[in-house]
Amino acid sequence: MTGAAPARVRVLRPPDGYQLAGSVRTLAMGRHDPCARWLADTFWWTARTPAGAATLALRRHGGDLVAAGYGPGASQICDIADAVAGLRDDVSDFLSLARRHPVVEAVVRRYAGVRLPATGQVFARLLRAVLEQKVTGAEAYRGYAAMVRRFGVPAPGPVADLWVAPEPTALAAAPYWSLHPLGIEQRRAQTLCGAAAVADRLSDSGDPQTATRRLTALPGIGPWTAAEVVRVAFGAADAVSVGDYHLPNTVAWALAGEARGTDARMLELLEPFRGHRGRVCLLLELAGVRAPRFGPRAPVRSFATC
């Protein structure tokens, strides 16, 4: 890294026990995400703002959280730094709900300082979610990283090889076959290009319910993808990724001791935590809860709207 100075710095005061790493965990697609990563004690995250590309750096300094913005959109990204860090997330009513199940209560006690980010970046999160549909994590990462580097731009600031996700217009103008060399097959490529054409309408949704309705009205986007998007873009604590291969098993095992579950069973078990059902799922994942494995590995599911 070079010594480039931030265009704006904002000092935030998180609640006692706040956990930065756990809170921003969902913003990065692994350790080598081209648009977000940890370097030493600082989390770097990029976004497009109305003023232009921006990079946000978040680091703890004593009891404070220091947010530094770089690039044309530095001021705007610092304005939402508290939301990106999860500091606008309200967990006050969740603490009493968590006591309804000993496993949830234990997980909440362990990760009491984890908050849900709300980035406001609907389209950027949608890009990643679409590329995660029905493929392995390695395949999703390769396609996502290649697409960002092909259609995105280098991020402002001092971090090398950090990128800002593509503008919707760049993908809307691209023929679907231009994504094939990036490892993105026709179905997902057409979904991405179609969503890019209506990105402004998606970004103007205003709330997770409206965004979910508009997302699932698009070809190739179902409840799983919509939940993955609104949980991060809006901090939607109740968004459950229905259609996930592993999640029903995780929830059934954690909350009922059942090694295998269905979406219906998962939602039944999560009902006592309505309003925070997605939060429960994320905390179980963060705690490393896994249903036992047995039998042959299941085949990859067929391509269906997710």
Side-chain angles (χ1 to χ4, degrees):
M1 293 191 299
T2 67
R8 182 182 171 192
V9 175
R10 182 182 176 193
V11 178
L12 307 169
R13 178 54 63 93
D16 292 341
Y18 168 75
Q19 298 174 25
L20 174 60
S23 298
V24 299
R25 178 174 176 266
T26 57
L27 300 184
M29 192 177 189
R31 292 181 299 171
H32 305 292
D33 189 319
C35 300
R37 77 180 62 141
W38 281 95
L39 289 175
D41 61 348
T42 302
F43 181 70
W44 298 84
W45 179 77
T46 68
R48 292 189 179 276
T49 76
T55 299
L56 177 67
L58 295 170
R59 65 177 179 87
R60 296 301 300 264
H61 181 71
D64 295 330
L65 179 64
V66 179
Y70 299 81
S75 183
Q76 292 183 334
I77 206 170
C78 279
D79 284 342
I80 63 167
D82 56 331
V84 173
L87 300 185
R88 299 183 191 178
D89 183 23
D90 183 5
V91 298
S92 57
D93 62 333
F94 178 56
L95 302 180
S96 60
L97 292 179
R99 300 188 186 101
R100 296 179 176 181
H101 196 288
V103 171
V104 177
E105 184 177 17
V107 170
V108 170
R109 196 160 49 238
R110 182 178 176 185
Y111 297 103
V114 172
R115 298 293 184 268
L116 298 185
T119 66
Q121 299 282 313
V122 174
F123 184 71
R125 184 62 184 86
L126 177 60
L127 294 183
R128 175 179 150 187
V130 169
L131 292 177
E132 290 174 314
Q133 291 177 352
K134 312 296 186 182
V135 296
T136 66
E139 289 175 294
Y141 171 76
R142 284 195 296 268
Y144 177 67
M147 181 193 65
V148 167
R149 291 186 171 98
R150 168 67 177 80
F151 293 98
V153 296
V159 179
D161 199 29
L162 192 65
W163 293 74
V164 181
E167 289 189 22
T169 52
L171 287 176
Y176 74 82
W177 45 261
S178 67
L179 301 184
H180 291 182
L182 309 181
I184 304 170
E185 86 296 328
Q186 180 176 348
R187 186 192 66 87
R188 288 184 298 156
Q190 289 179 324
T191 299
L192 286 174
C193 296
V198 295
D200 287 345
R201 176 172 168 78
L202 297 176
S203 298
D204 290 341
S205 297
D207 59 73
Q209 294 77 24
T210 302
T212 297
R213 187 173 64 253
R214 291 177 178 177
L215 284 165
T216 53
L218 298 175
I221 298 177
W224 182 89
T225 303
E228 292 290 305
V229 172
V230 301
R231 192 166 51 245
V232 172
F234 295 94
D238 201 46
V240 180
S241 299
V242 173
D244 190 271
Y245 183 73
H246 297 288
L247 188 58
N249 297 338
T250 298
V251 172
W253 177 249
L255 302 187
E258 300 165 3
R260 293 295 178 265
T262 63
D263 282 332
R265 180 59 171 153
M266 173 179 67
L267 294 174
E268 177 187 0
L269 292 168
L270 290 172
E271 184 58 31
F273 310 101
R274 178 169 286 276
H276 296 273
R277 295 176 299 172
R279 188 192 304 277
V280 170
C281 296
L282 285 176
L283 290 177
L284 292 175
E285 179 185 358
L286 188 60
V289 175
R290 296 290 186 273
R293 295 181 178 181
F294 55 82
R297 177 176 292 184
V300 176
R301 294 172 296 170
S302 61
F303 286 132
T305 296
C306 63

